[in-house]
Amino acid sequence: MQLNTIKPAEGAKHAKRRVGRGIGSGLGKTAGRGHKGQKSRSGGYHKVGFEGGQMPLQRRMPKRGFKSTTLKFNAEVTLSELDRLGLAEVDLLVLKEAGLVRSIAKVVKVVKSGELTKAVKLTGIGATAGAKAAIEAAGGSLA
């Protein structure tokens, strides 16, 4: 094999369809653009969702819902995850290193899901009322 003999695999390359090249090509005259109208012309363009001046569908529909931008900074940890971690003291940095919360998380809350058997001291982490009761019952505390 030499550099001058290298070529693409069979069928990998195919010629671009040449439109508007006479009747015999099957794509002559209007070149597949139909007759008249904005889309048949060169430079014919309209915005996505444009309906010819009629009020577009996305503006006719009522506005609904709300997506908080701070939602991505919040995270949840379950009691069973804390139990599996097996540490006496837990803070935000420990949870990030263990991979229990995302690295961009700023606010972490413990939710009551599963059981906690070891005493855990939480610093800088919130908890739901049920989770707080479970942590204190296991001999842990929140700070």
Side-chain angles (χ1 to χ4, degrees):
M1 179 170 57
Q2 281 89 31
L3 282 175
N4 63 332
T5 61
I6 295 173
K7 59 181 184 185
E10 197 64 42
K13 299 282 220 174
H14 53 89
K16 191 175 74 138
R17 179 161 286 194
R18 296 181 72 212
V19 295
R21 296 292 183 275
I23 295 167
S25 71
L27 281 167
K29 197 186 171 214
T30 55
R33 287 169 173 258
H35 292 276
K36 296 184 180 174
Q38 188 176 26
K39 286 168 87 176
S40 74
R41 317 209 183 274
S42 72
Y45 162 80
H46 61 80
K47 289 183 194 146
V48 173
F50 183 69
E51 295 181 20
Q54 170 178 300
M55 187 61 71
L57 183 69
Q58 78 270 19
R59 290 195 53 203
R60 292 198 300 265
M61 295 289 114
K63 291 197 253 181
R64 277 197 72 217
F66 165 77
K67 181 127 183 182
S68 174
T69 54
T70 59
L71 206 60
K72 59 180 174 264
F73 300 112
N74 299 344
E76 283 182 357
V77 177
T78 63
L79 288 174
S80 52
E81 284 173 338
L82 279 181
D83 200 44
R84 252 183 276 131
L85 202 59
L87 295 171
E89 289 194 28
V90 177
D91 63 351
L92 186 59
L93 197 64
V94 170
L95 293 174
K96 285 181 181 179
E97 285 169 0
L100 291 176
V101 296
R102 289 165 58 185
S103 58
I104 61 165
K106 291 179 181 173
V107 179
V108 177
K109 200 172 213 182
V110 180
V111 292
K112 188 179 181 251
S113 174
E115 273 137 35
L116 189 65
T117 53
K118 304 175 191 90
V120 178
K121 185 185 178 205
L122 301 176
T123 38
I125 298 171
T128 61
K132 189 176 178 183
I135 291 164
E136 286 167 354
S141 64
L142 283 102

